Amino acid sequence: EVQLVESGGGLVQPGGSLRLSCAASGFTFTTYWMSWVRQAPGKGLEWLANIKQDGTEKYYVDSVKGRFTISRDNAKNSLYLQMNSLRVEDTAVYYCTRVRVPDAMSNWFDPWGQGTLVTVSS
Amino acid sequence: SSELTQDPAVSVALGQTVRITCQGDSLRTYYASWYQQKPGQAPILVIYGRNSRPSGIPDRFSGSSSGNTASLTITGAQAEDEADYYCNSRDSSGNHWVFGGGTKLTVL
């Protein structure tokens, strides 16, 4: 069974840091792009970052560029999101998801983890 | 433009057909994918590519696209289809991805 399990969320003060992890199982992790998506309370989904299979390409939404870093450890089948300089508006559920990009016109996220809640508050 | 626009809310009578739309310039180049999210749950993929359904998604769900608009159609909506639906695609750069604001579907 393909499974993604996030961890590392919690309460952090503004300006603080947090590192999220995502453990992947049930598929060949090294052959997929991976992504982080978040959802603020009562709000919609926001794509945050993608990382290529070998980690050589990374892309970020402007709102987190320079503050968040996506990375992966293929030996551990794990995806990470290092979050620095956290702001109140970063409060959200953070999802790890596998990316499919079979051709130049198509892409989708499947499956998704259950999410981990990050609360930024003083 | 890097935005995808969805109607905030749509309702449908039980057993009827409903179309949820997603508009954006990037949809002229890229297919949209569609996600269903029920309260307290993670999103699940319901439509991807030109019009493909993952295993386990009922065939009452279908997708289509024309110009800058992608559509998710539910033919014969069921009570369990009541949920938030999000479209997603790449932006015009091809390297950044974006979600629509989501559509809350109510089944009456």
Side-chain angles (χ1 to χ4, degrees):
Chain A
E1 176 192 9
V2 176
Q3 196 169 17
L4 299 169
V5 179
E6 302 94 337
S7 60
L11 176 63
V12 60
Q13 292 188 337
S17 298
L18 210 57
R19 189 196 194 206
L20 305 183
S21 298
C22 171
S25 60
F27 64 100
T28 306
F29 185 70
T30 55
T31 63
Y32 290 90
W33 284 74
M34 296 295 294
S35 185
W36 288 98
V37 176
R38 72 181 177 185
Q39 186 170 37
K43 302 298 184 181
L45 301 172
E46 180 183 28
W47 169 79
L48 296 180
N50 281 353
I51 185 168
K52 194 177 179 179
Q53 291 92 330
D54 59 4
T56 57
E57 292 184 40
K58 304 175 184 181
Y59 301 99
Y60 300 91
V61 69
D62 287 348
S63 60
V64 307
K65 195 176 299 182
R67 299 189 300 124
F68 290 10
T69 302
I70 189 172
S71 63
R72 63 193 295 163
D73 185 336
N74 286 343
K76 295 182 177 180
N77 286 349
S78 292
L79 177 72
Y80 305 101
L81 186 67
Q82 177 66 43
M83 304 186 295
N84 299 331
S85 303
L86 283 162
R87 306 166 180 167
V88 171
E89 55 265 34
D90 293 319
T91 294
V93 174
Y94 286 73
Y95 295 102
C96 161
T97 179
R98 184 179 69 174
V99 181
R100 297 298 306 277
V101 189
D103 56 54
M105 293 180 63
S106 303
N107 63 265
W108 59 88
F109 301 110
D110 180 59
W112 297 59
Q114 84 287 351
T116 187
L117 177 62
V118 172
T119 303
V120 184
S121 174
S122 55
Chain B
S1 170
S2 61
E3 294 183 348
L4 296 178
T5 301
Q6 297 182 240
D7 291 329
V10 171
S11 62
V12 60
L14 184 67
Q16 297 303 300
T17 297
V18 62
R19 176 174 292 181
I20 298 170
T21 61
C22 174
Q23 289 189 302
D25 289 343
S26 64
L27 297 178
R28 298 182 185 277
T29 305
Y30 303 107
Y31 290 121
S33 53
W34 290 92
Y35 304 86
Q36 176 193 71
Q37 187 181 34
K38 297 181 179 180
Q41 298 182 16
I44 63 168
L45 176 70
V46 294
I47 291 291
Y48 64 94
R50 182 185 295 272
N51 179 21
S52 296
R53 284 176 289 105
S55 173
I57 301 300
D59 61 5
R60 62 178 178 271
F61 289 87
S62 63
S64 61
S65 184
S66 178
N68 72 336
T69 301
S71 300
L72 171 69
T73 300
I74 307 174
T75 303
Q78 302 299 302
E80 60 264 34
D81 299 334
E82 188 163 287
D84 294 326
Y85 290 86
Y86 296 90
C87 61
N88 172 266
S89 184
R90 303 183 215 186
D91 72 359
S92 54
S93 76
N95 291 324
H96 290 184
W97 295 0
V98 62
F99 285 92
T103 297
K104 182 177 181 61
L105 175 66
T106 300
V107 180
L108 304 172

